[in-house]
Amino acid sequence: MSTSVECSWHIPVEGDGVWLSTPKPERPPRWSYLRRVAQNAERLGFDTILVPTAFSNGQFAIDSPVVDSWTIATAIAAVTERIRILTAIRPGFINPGVVAMMAATFDDVSGSRLAFNVVTAGAPGDMEMFGDRLDHDARYRRAAEYITLLRRLWT
């Protein structure tokens, strides 16, 4: 029996350091650092790199910086060659037509290395602070419809 295992790494869009839950990260989420993380993950043979999405910093103080997943993912695509880029999306916050166009452009820029991480909720209060008060089941129904719409738009 042959088993294929994929290994993934993570882009610290909220910053990182030795400890989480400190007032601020030791290494803020600056492009110069995030680029090195992505390039090292590719060099070390990781298959995929996750670029998470967040509206507020859930790892450090809420007012600590967080960078945008799509912008960072596109920048990573420009400085890597092989690694797939797993970009987090939140249905309901960006129009599916806009996401379809963003993804099609990203597909061209990256050489078809885009994968999606569909996020239906975040840290407690994360969705609500932007007016999204849907319950669990409704968020999952919205995510299913969103993916259906994306697939239709791409075809």
Side-chain angles (χ1 to χ4, degrees):
M1 182 169 118
S2 175
T3 302
S4 177
V5 175
E6 287 193 14
C7 295
S8 298
W9 198 249
H10 171 265
I11 290 294
V13 298
E14 298 171 309
D16 72 359
V18 176
W19 306 104
L20 297 178
S21 300
T22 58
K24 63 182 185 176
E26 291 174 53
R27 288 180 295 273
R30 303 279 184 259
W31 171 239
S32 59
Y33 175 64
L34 301 178
R35 178 183 61 232
R36 289 195 325 268
V37 170
Q39 289 173 328
N40 282 329
E42 182 172 68
R43 182 180 56 79
L44 293 170
F46 285 91
D47 301 295
T48 306
I49 194 154
L50 169 64
V51 185
T53 184
F55 296 135
S56 60
N57 199 314
Q59 301 297 326
F60 301 98
I62 197 164
D63 62 343
S64 290
V66 177
V67 296
D68 173 63
S69 60
W70 276 97
T71 305
I72 292 299
T74 304
I76 288 169
V79 299
T80 58
E81 297 176 5
R82 178 198 54 79
I83 199 165
R84 281 193 349 259
I85 303 158
L86 180 60
T87 306
I89 61 169
R90 289 184 188 237
F93 285 92
I94 302 177
N95 178 290
V98 175
V99 170
M101 184 182 293
M102 291 165 58
T105 303
F106 188 101
D107 185 66
D108 182 49
V109 169
S110 71
S112 299
R113 294 185 288 143
L114 175 63
F116 280 135
N117 173 33
V118 179
V119 179
T120 59
D126 199 28
M127 304 291 275
E128 292 81 2
M129 83 167 86
F130 286 90
D132 188 350
R133 290 177 171 60
L134 293 180
D135 66 24
H136 175 275
D137 292 347
R139 288 193 313 269
Y140 276 84
R141 283 192 302 274
R142 175 177 60 196
E145 180 181 16
Y146 199 86
I147 297 304
T148 298
L149 288 169
L150 288 176
R151 286 185 172 140
R152 285 182 185 165
L153 288 163
W154 290 324
T155 56

